[in-house]
């Protein structure tokens, strides 16, 4: 490999470059980082590599400096890189570290589908979980995530987190979802009262089946605030019942939160609270599915909404 002056002379000579473009190519070849790269790779390059690769070198410098046709290139998340290809000079576009980091964040976020869930849970983490009064809940959560980490495809019983408002039941679900996403396991969190409303409205445009179907089959399902409002027999048996039956048969991990204990939910689903006819058999059928899918865990501790943080 010859010196810069000779390299440029050879290019001009062979390519008959003139005017402004010739000037720019000269500058590009003389660019210190281009020269450094040429020196570092001189043994891998053909003798005429610089002459034949002049256009590539020019493209590299303009792309690197954001002056090429694609002005936004340095900000697009890709940076050009000179590479040796068949003993000649070529360019590869590599994602920048910022681009890679952003893609990872986006990928992780894409693993959690959340329907009507509070934004705060996006940053929920098991490591940050305040365990005062909630040690049992944290232990159960960790046991579940450990089992999932070990065998992501297998069935693991989920949690039925019960306790008063504000103790962090939803937060713990979010922390579990984030933990799983870190390991590439997708989960779907659904605020059940909103979902119930949505599915009721879907009757009009005949998309009930579709909506329910999608939820049935997700790898990990988290139903938040189950039993928060009363259900019609249809909602209980044809929506919730069908959903849980499928999860049970297919052995798909499913988690719940509720302000009601399992015993309270049983009465609630049979209509005792609302003063309806006893429909205990049907309520018990639902409860059997919930019990199959999840262990009841009482979450205590202070109300984090009002109490001191
Ligand atoms: P629940 O679902 O039991 O009613 P939430 O999960 O909504 O309670 O928690 C109530 C509030 O406290 C939320 O704003 C939540 O983000 C916050 N929170 C709950 N647990 C924690 C925790 N361990 N660390 C920090 N914030 C928490
Ligand atoms: Mg909640």
């Amino acid at each position: 490999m010859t010196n810069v002056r000779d390299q440029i002379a050879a290019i001009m000579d062979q390519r008959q470059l003139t005017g402004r473009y010739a000037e720019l190519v000269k500058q590009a070849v003389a660019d210190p980082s281009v020269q450094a790269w040429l020196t570092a790779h001189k043994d891998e390059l053909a003798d005429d590599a610089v002459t034949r690769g002049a256009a590539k070198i020019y493209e590299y410098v303009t792309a690197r400096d954001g002056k090429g046709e694609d002005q936004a290139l340095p900000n697009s998340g890709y940076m050009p890189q000179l590479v040796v290809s068949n003993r000649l000079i070529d360019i590869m576009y590599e994602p920048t570290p910022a681009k890679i980091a952003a893609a990872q964040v986006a990928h992780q976020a894409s693993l959690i589908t959340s329907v009507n869930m509070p934004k705060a849970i996006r940053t929920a983490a098991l490591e940050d979980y305040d365990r005062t009064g909630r040690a049992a809940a944290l232990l159960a959560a960790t046991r579940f995530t450990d089992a999932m980490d070990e065998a992501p495809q297998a069935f693991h019983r989920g949690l039925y987190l019960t306790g008063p408002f504000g103790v962090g039941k939803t937060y713990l679900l979010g922390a579990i979802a984030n933990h799983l996403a870190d390991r590439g396991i997708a989960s779907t969190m659904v605020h059940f009262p909103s979902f119930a409303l949505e599915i009721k409205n879907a009757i009009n445009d005949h998309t009930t089946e579709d909506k329910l179907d999608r939820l049935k089959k997700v790898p990990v399902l988290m139903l938040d605030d189950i039993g928060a409002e009363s259900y019609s027999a249809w909602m209980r048996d044809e929506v919730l019942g069908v959903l849980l039956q499928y999860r049970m048969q297919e052995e798909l991990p499913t988690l719940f939160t509720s302000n009601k204990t399992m015993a309270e939910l049983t009465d609630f689903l049979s209509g005792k609270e609302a003063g309806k006819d006893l429909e205990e058999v049907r309520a018990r059928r639902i409860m059997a599915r919930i019990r199959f899918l999840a262990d009841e865990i009482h979450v205590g501790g202070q109300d984090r909404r009002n109490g001191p943080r």
Side-chain angles (χ1 to χ4, degrees):
M1 187 91 33
T2 48
N3 64 28
V4 184
R5 191 193 301 257
D6 292 342
Q7 287 168 0
I8 291 171
I11 295 166
M12 297 304 134
D13 198 38
Q14 200 171 335
R15 301 245 143 174
Q16 312 252 302
L17 298 181
T18 52
R20 175 97 184 107
Y21 182 56
E23 211 36 59
L24 292 171
V25 170
K26 273 187 206 174
Q27 278 175 24
V29 173
D31 182 276
S33 66
V34 170
Q35 281 298 318
W37 184 86
L38 289 172
T39 306
H41 295 87
K42 62 177 187 291
D43 294 341
E44 305 155 51
L45 288 167
D47 287 343
D48 59 349
V50 176
T51 313
R52 292 171 66 182
K56 293 285 185 187
I57 293 174
Y58 172 65
E59 181 189 333
Y60 165 76
V61 172
T62 49
R64 184 198 64 193
D65 299 344
K67 292 180 188 145
E69 273 165 31
D70 187 355
Q71 291 267 343
L73 211 59
N75 302 323
S76 70
Y78 293 91
M79 282 305 280
Q81 205 112 65
L82 290 173
V83 291
V84 180
S85 165
N86 288 325
R87 301 184 59 77
L88 294 177
I89 297 166
D90 206 349
I91 299 183
M92 243 173 58
Y93 287 91
E94 297 250 311
T96 58
K99 174 81 176 180
I100 294 168
Q104 272 163 357
V105 168
H107 175 65
Q108 164 147 357
S110 77
L111 288 172
I112 302 177
T113 308
S114 74
V115 184
N116 300 108
M117 296 295 293
K119 281 202 179 96
I121 53 135
R122 281 186 207 159
T123 53
L126 290 171
E127 295 74 30
D128 298 342
Y129 193 66
D130 171 10
R131 47 186 301 153
T132 319
R134 306 178 182 87
L138 182 61
L139 183 67
T142 312
R143 213 176 279 149
F144 175 74
T145 52
D146 283 352
M148 288 294 294
D149 290 347
E150 207 154 293
Q153 306 297 333
F155 175 67
H156 305 289
R157 286 182 85 188
L159 315 175
Y160 179 98
L161 300 171
T162 177
F165 268 119
V167 294
K169 301 183 295 295
T170 300
Y171 182 95
L172 189 53
L173 278 193
I176 294 171
N178 287 330
H179 174 98
L180 296 178
D182 275 342
R183 281 144 186 87
I185 303 167
S187 49
T188 301
M189 309 184 67
V190 178
H191 181 239
F192 196 75
S194 308
F195 175 75
L197 192 65
E198 202 178 294
I199 207 136
K200 208 152 57 182
N201 293 336
I203 297 172
N204 298 326
D205 52 13
H206 311 286
T207 54
T208 311
E209 197 98 345
D210 248 28
K211 286 194 157 72
L212 190 57
D213 239 42
R214 239 174 288 156
L215 214 53
K216 262 158 88 173
K217 296 173 182 169
V218 300
V220 177
L221 178 63
M222 304 181 170
L223 298 179
D224 191 38
D225 254 338
I226 196 163
E229 75 305 277
S230 47
Y231 305 123
S232 64
W234 175 75
M235 187 62 67
R236 181 193 60 194
D237 302 329
E238 305 304 323
V239 178
L240 187 58
V242 166
L243 180 61
L244 299 180
Q245 173 72 16
Y246 186 88
R247 307 283 310 169
M248 187 172 94
Q249 266 170 2
E250 300 298 316
E251 303 201 329
L252 297 168
T254 309
L255 295 83
F256 307 83
T257 78
S258 181
N259 296 313
K260 296 185 168 61
T261 62
M262 283 192 177
E264 287 165 350
L265 187 64
T266 313
D267 285 350
F268 184 72
L269 289 175
S270 68
K272 275 185 194 166
E273 271 198 12
K276 288 190 233 159
D277 291 349
L278 286 183
E279 297 205 44
E280 268 194 52
V281 177
R282 286 184 171 169
R284 285 190 187 285
R285 200 175 294 157
I286 304 273
M287 290 312 299
R289 292 167 196 168
I290 294 179
R291 282 203 181 86
F292 176 89
L293 290 165
D295 290 323
E296 182 170 19
I297 310 288
H298 293 266
V299 187
Q302 60 173 205
D303 183 345
R304 295 199 56 113
R305 284 177 217 216
N306 304 314
R309 302 264 147 132

